[in-house]
Amino acid sequence: MNERAETAAQLASADTPLVLQRVLFAGPTPDTDADLYATIAGGGDRTRTSVHARHGATIDTDTYFGRVPAPYFERWTTVTSVDLTFDFETTGRAHAVVRGCDSDGQVHVVARLELEGAGAVTSTVPLDRYSDGGSLWVGFIADDGDLTISDAVWSTTAPHRIRAAAVAICTFNRPADCVATLTALASDQLTRERLTAVYVVDQGTDAVCDEPGFDQTSAALGERLTYIRQPNLGGAGGFTRGISEAVAHEEDLDLILMDDDIRCEPETPLRLAAFASVTPDPTIVGAQMLYLMNPTRLHVGAEYADLHTLRAGRWAKNALHDADMLTRRQDRPADAGYNGWWTCLLPAEVITALGLPLPMFFQWDDIEYGIRAAGTAGVQTVTLPGAAVWHMDFSRKDNDDWTMYFSIRNSLITAALHSDLDVKSLSTRMFREISQHIVAMQYGLAYTMIRGIEDFLTGPDILADGGRTALVDIRRERAAFGETVMHRESDVPGVNYRELPVHPAGFEPAKDRFDVVLAKRAATQLAGRVVRGCVAIPPTDAHWWHVSLFDQAVVADASGNGVRLRTRDTGLARTLGARNLKVRWAFRADAANVRKAFQAALPTLTSPANWQRLFTTE
């Protein structure tokens, strides 16, 4: 262990408490819905760490951020009990009630604590009945006087050695968002003191260091902050640079990766680091994602990737999906296959055992790493309820952009490395999906997918420059397809968008008839037997089997940033159809050998030497 690691790791005495999570009564910013933290009935005032309840009022932390995910501690850590500690002051009688629930949501009282005058209270709760599910939380009742609660925490006895924790943020041309995240970390005293280092890897041309507020935040973080500029190597390259820098300075480390465009809850790094400190084996601990545009809704409780269908973001058994966390509990534990790197903790031992991420540039790098951790080293990923950040809703992102190239290419690389790669099934599935895009007049998207498959088939050499050439090429090539261009509603070429008839979709064809309908749509399009003129189609109705009925359609983008004009082009459809068929047969012929090539190249691709070459190549 190097000198910095010796000073960063902390030795704890036998009775030192480890705070697992604070009982917070409000969010980090005034616009955060406080009911995600605590509810107040009967009148009261709150700050982040204290609450004042008036006579007769009730405070309840049976909330998203208020509950202790007891089954996760019982199942994946060495914790056998937790201590609730808080300060109180009351002008009359009051009491606190510790409650729990089981996997079916049935609530029971764990302890009742009478409060009178002022003082501090500690209540110990055994974790011996939550392996199947449930939660713990506390409520406070001001019976016949005012009641103030402050500095409430859930804790346990600290392990002998508390590991260092650091944060690495990858950013590209989001300086305001990045500074906001840094400010959130710096403004919370406990978080700031817990972190030994914060690495910012800036790959953009709009430098974070020039953003207003950066100097103040940098001063607050002091020597903890390391700011790095490098060429754009995508999220994979940015995070890998942060990983490389962190483990070079601290070998006994838990590193928390963070996106630049999140709204940060500074409590979350504390909860991730605390949980990781009490796991018996090195464990990847991930935060959940709440939607930025719908901030009380949970993206998914835990997720996995289906490599047989190349689909990520499948919600795990027992996991909630798109759920309103003001009304739902996560009572049953869910097993994650990976965790997105919007915020995710990687222990240094895992990095040492696995090597670095693949130089995929963007998309699936976090997924591949989580799958590799489980398959190669037996490392569990735990997505921890009550630890979350806010991130842009995925439903607000349209898939018709250059990122689809990396998604299809990198999902194939991941499947080649970590599955049996059912070549026949995958070739049929991809051929069908590309054909659907062609009949939907998404010619650029079809082309993008074909290019991703073609480049996968070239083998590991496609990753030689970390994806920089592929990014430039696919963005340039997509520009040749008119429907890839986003327009303002008032500026659609040759069309008055506001006067177009709106055509919602009819009934969806039966799944077992999709291929028949697809063939018919292709034939009628090539023959010109479509509805003439231009129509408007909402994004929720832009299914391939509906859009393909028309000669021209203006489709609103799912992001809400504009519209796209899709125009039938039979010549382009024939060209792409032929290329789609060609790549299908090439995939069937070559994919097995390409799979072996990627497996053989994995140690070299993920080596520090390869990444150092990429970091220093302009």
Side-chain angles (χ1 to χ4, degrees):
M1 184 179 299
N2 60 33
E3 182 179 351
R4 183 174 177 184
E6 287 283 6
T7 59
Q10 303 172 22
L11 298 180
S13 61
D15 58 351
T16 300
L18 172 68
V19 175
L20 300 174
Q21 60 185 70
R22 293 177 287 183
V23 180
L24 300 173
F25 301 102
T29 58
D31 58 347
T32 306
D33 194 322
D35 284 352
L36 285 169
Y37 297 81
T39 58
I40 302 176
D45 304 297
R46 65 176 97 196
T47 69
R48 178 89 159 142
T49 58
S50 67
V51 63
H52 177 78
R54 290 189 280 276
H55 175 196
T58 298
I59 301 121
D60 197 359
T61 64
D62 179 15
T63 61
Y64 177 78
F65 285 108
R67 300 181 199 101
V68 176
Y72 287 76
F73 283 102
E74 186 168 347
R75 184 174 179 183
W76 282 300
T77 77
T78 58
V79 175
T80 57
S81 65
V82 292
D83 297 324
L84 170 67
T85 304
F86 60 89
D87 295 333
F88 72 91
E89 183 176 352
T90 179
T91 60
R93 290 183 303 108
H95 67 279
V97 180
V98 180
R99 291 187 172 92
C101 69
D102 60 21
S103 60
D104 293 322
Q106 297 299 311
V107 177
H108 56 270
V109 174
V110 177
R112 178 185 171 98
L113 309 171
E114 300 298 331
L115 309 176
E116 189 170 353
V121 171
T122 297
S123 178
T124 299
V125 180
L127 294 183
D128 56 2
R129 58 192 299 181
Y130 300 99
S131 59
D132 290 336
S135 303
L136 287 171
W137 64 90
V138 63
F140 304 97
I141 300 91
D143 294 312
D144 57 12
D146 288 2
L147 170 66
T148 299
I149 301 293
S150 60
D151 298 326
V153 299
W154 293 94
S155 65
T156 192
T157 302
H160 176 64
R161 189 177 193 84
I162 300 176
R163 294 158 56 87
V167 163
I169 300 172
C170 167
T171 184
F172 178 79
N173 286 350
R174 294 182 181 270
D177 290 338
C178 188
V179 168
T181 297
L182 289 171
T183 301
L185 296 173
S187 62
D188 189 296
Q189 181 180 349
L190 286 182
T191 302
R192 185 176 66 249
E193 292 175 351
R194 180 68 177 88
L195 298 175
T196 61
V198 176
Y199 298 90
V200 175
V201 182
D202 190 348
Q203 304 183 115
T205 55
D206 194 357
V208 173
C209 61
D210 296 332
E211 180 69 16
F214 177 81
D215 289 342
Q216 297 93 314
T217 300
S218 176
L221 290 171
E223 294 183 356
R224 292 179 177 86
L225 180 63
T226 299
Y227 179 70
I228 301 164
R229 299 292 301 274
Q230 74 173 25
N232 184 21
L233 291 167
F239 280 127
T240 302
R241 181 64 180 274
I243 292 169
S244 300
E245 295 288 335
V247 298
H249 286 92
E250 296 178 12
E251 298 170 2
D252 190 14
L253 173 75
D254 288 326
L255 179 63
I256 301 168
L257 305 180
M258 278 188 168
D259 269 346
D260 59 348
D261 58 345
I262 60 170
R263 179 149 62 92
C264 179
E265 167 50 83
E267 170 76 0
T268 289
L270 295 177
R271 295 188 181 188
L272 298 183
F275 191 92
S277 293
V278 290
T279 57
D281 301 303
T283 302
I284 297 173
V285 188
Q288 295 183 331
M289 172 184 146
L290 298 170
Y291 290 139
L292 195 59
M293 301 295 289
N294 298 279
T296 67
R297 300 196 74 85
L298 175 70
H299 167 52
V300 63
E303 57 190 328
Y304 70 95
D306 183 350
L307 298 183
H308 297 287
T309 61
L310 305 182
R311 291 291 185 267
R314 307 294 89 184
W315 45 94
K317 181 181 179 181
N318 296 332
L320 298 182
H321 170 65
D322 191 23
D324 186 355
M325 299 317 295
L326 294 179
T327 60
R328 302 290 298 276
R329 289 198 201 107
Q330 299 180 82
D331 288 331
R332 298 188 178 186
D335 293 330
Y338 67 91
N339 201 97
W341 285 355
W342 44 75
T343 297
C344 185
L345 180 149
L346 302 180
E349 300 96 320
V350 174
I351 298 166
T352 300
L354 292 185
L356 296 169
L358 275 166
M360 289 177 160
F361 191 81
F362 180 75
Q363 298 274 10
W364 281 77
D365 48 316
D366 49 359
I367 299 172
E368 188 279 328
Y369 203 78
I371 295 172
R372 194 189 337 156
T376 302
V379 174
Q380 175 71 42
T381 293
V382 175
T383 300
L384 187 63
V389 296
W390 289 268
H391 189 281
M392 179 55 71
D393 311 25
F394 288 153
S395 62
R396 302 279 296 182
K397 295 184 177 183
D398 199 288
N399 68 351
D400 189 358
D401 66 10
W402 58 268
T403 62
M404 178 55 74
Y405 164 85
F406 290 100
S407 181
I408 188 68
R409 189 199 71 179
N410 295 347
S411 64
L412 285 169
I413 293 172
T414 304
L417 290 170
H418 304 297
S419 78
D420 56 7
L421 199 68
D422 187 338
V423 172
K424 183 177 180 180
S425 174
L426 276 176
S427 66
T428 300
R429 176 178 292 274
M430 292 186 297
F431 177 82
R432 179 186 297 119
E433 186 172 346
I434 293 168
S435 298
Q436 290 170 357
H437 292 317
I438 293 172
V439 301
M441 299 178 286
Q442 291 179 292
Y443 304 118
L445 181 55
Y447 175 85
T448 303
M449 290 189 65
I450 291 170
R451 283 280 281 108
I453 300 168
E454 290 172 342
D455 279 2
F456 163 75
L457 292 174
T458 66
D461 286 348
I462 195 63
L463 303 181
D465 71 345
R468 284 179 282 193
T469 300
L471 172 67
V472 173
D473 288 349
I474 196 62
R475 297 185 76 167
R476 183 189 69 250
E477 293 162 16
R478 279 178 53 85
F481 298 91
E483 84 286 348
T484 65
V485 179
M486 192 92 70
H487 303 282
R488 293 168 57 90
E489 293 181 1
S490 60
D491 194 30
V492 183
V495 173
N496 189 333
Y497 178 69
R498 291 179 176 82
E499 294 182 358
L500 293 179
V502 177
H503 276 260
F507 292 107
E508 181 177 2
K511 298 293 185 186
D512 60 359
R513 287 187 52 79
F514 262 26
D515 287 347
V516 173
V517 174
L518 178 59
K520 288 183 176 179
R521 292 288 193 274
T524 55
Q525 277 203 339
L526 292 174
R529 296 194 301 271
V530 293
V531 177
R532 298 293 178 174
C534 189
V535 300
I537 298 177
T540 52
D541 292 317
H543 312 290
W544 64 266
W545 42 266
H546 178 58
V547 179
S548 55
L549 296 171
F550 304 97
D551 188 52
Q552 190 176 56
V554 177
V555 180
D557 195 76
S559 67
N561 293 329
V563 298
R564 301 174 192 259
L565 178 62
R566 303 188 196 177
T567 303
R568 183 173 62 94
D569 186 328
T570 56
L572 193 52
R574 292 180 188 276
T575 299
L576 288 171
R579 192 163 174 178
N580 186 21
L581 187 61
K582 180 180 179 181
V583 80
R584 178 185 187 181
W585 294 118
F587 186 83
R588 288 196 175 189
D590 300 336
N593 288 331
V594 172
R595 174 176 179 252
K596 293 177 182 178
F598 272 108
Q599 290 174 338
L602 181 63
T604 299
L605 290 170
T606 59
S607 68
N610 184 51
W611 273 108
Q612 190 59 37
R613 175 184 63 82
L614 292 170
F615 296 150
T616 56
T617 301
E618 292 293 336

